[in-house]
Amino acid sequence: MPALINPSILSADFVNLERDLAAIAAADYVHVDVMDNHFVPNLTLGLPIVRRIAEVSPVPLDVHLMIEDADRWAPEYAAAGAASVTFHAEATQAPVRLARELRSNGVRAGIALRPASPVEPLLDLLPEFDMVLVMTVEPGFGGQSFIEGMLPKIRRARQAIQESGSSTWLQVDGGVARDTIGRIAQAGANVFVAGSAVYGAADVAGEIAALRQLAETLAA
């Protein structure tokens, strides 16, 4: 699979968000972190802003819901214009039903795991999801350091995806940068969320290209 680079606008300038969206036109998706100050101890943006982002973004929206009651709210973000909606396994009562509802609305359905959540309960259900997101930092804040202990988890997920024959994407979010993306790609991820590494670079488009090249060159 080609490496997909999804910059997180959590590291963008929210006062100049349209400008910072235009800056990542070379990316594959824009990663939109939605936080509710309940599931995680931070508050970002909600449906009206996501709807407006979808109207002006040069790339499709990869919405990551770090919110409670995902069963209720995830379909609303699909309706708001997201191309992909990822909800947390820890925040849903019926993950398969929710994934099927999202897919029926024409969007990709992803399921995310906190660092301490095991991937094993999902392995028999992989064909139900378009993407599995392995968090490699604790969700809720940008700029955290990559947790090396997540690499075996990524490997287990990739092995299960291959054995199932599914086309499920494997995404990693947290601490993705030039010095970590190679190890993450070698472990089996093919979708990479990078926030501060992209928006902190002097050449944003150049950084996206460099990350993509590193991931594809060093992938397993």
Side-chain angles (χ1 to χ4, degrees):
M1 292 184 181
L4 304 181
I5 306 299
N6 299 9
S8 170
I9 57 170
L10 192 61
S11 297
D13 180 352
F14 278 22
V15 175
N16 294 287
L17 193 49
E18 187 169 2
R19 179 202 66 189
D20 283 4
L21 286 165
I24 60 166
D28 297 285
Y29 289 79
V30 54
H31 191 79
V32 181
D33 290 303
V34 176
M35 307 181 193
D36 65 358
N37 199 32
H38 295 284
F39 183 73
V40 292
N42 201 353
L43 182 67
T44 54
L45 40 82
L47 277 166
I49 298 176
V50 171
R51 191 174 294 112
R52 182 65 179 133
I53 291 171
E55 292 172 350
V56 302
S57 176
V59 292
L61 271 59
D62 167 29
V63 173
H64 176 192
L65 299 178
M66 287 172 270
I67 63 174
E68 294 180 348
D69 198 8
D71 300 276
R72 162 69 178 84
W73 290 107
E76 297 289 339
Y77 286 88
S84 175
V85 176
T86 298
F87 55 89
H88 270 261
E90 307 90 354
T92 177
Q93 299 298 315
V96 171
R97 183 177 65 196
L98 179 54
R100 290 178 177 180
E101 182 176 358
L102 290 171
R103 283 173 155 182
S104 72
N105 290 331
V107 305
R108 295 180 62 85
I111 189 164
L113 296 166
R114 290 177 180 266
S117 295
V119 70
E120 283 73 17
L122 296 180
L123 299 186
D124 292 333
L125 301 172
L126 287 173
E128 297 286 350
F129 305 105
D130 297 298
M131 185 166 68
V132 173
L133 166 55
V134 175
M135 292 296 299
T136 47
V137 298
E138 288 295 337
F141 297 93
Q144 299 181 67
S145 298
F146 177 76
I147 300 174
E148 293 285 341
M150 293 298 100
L151 289 172
K153 187 176 181 178
I154 298 167
R155 294 188 191 100
R156 291 195 299 275
R158 172 52 63 193
Q159 181 179 356
I161 289 169
Q162 291 175 331
E163 290 175 352
S164 73
S166 72
S167 57
T168 307
W169 292 353
L170 182 54
Q171 184 178 70
V172 165
D173 182 0
V176 176
R178 292 197 192 199
D179 62 341
T180 59
I181 197 168
R183 300 196 299 283
I184 298 168
Q186 287 173 342
N190 70 294
V191 186
F192 307 88
V193 178
S196 54
V198 169
Y199 278 111
D203 179 359
V204 169
E207 192 66 19
I208 291 169
L211 290 171
R212 184 181 290 116
Q213 183 176 16
L214 282 168
E216 292 182 346
T217 300
L218 299 173

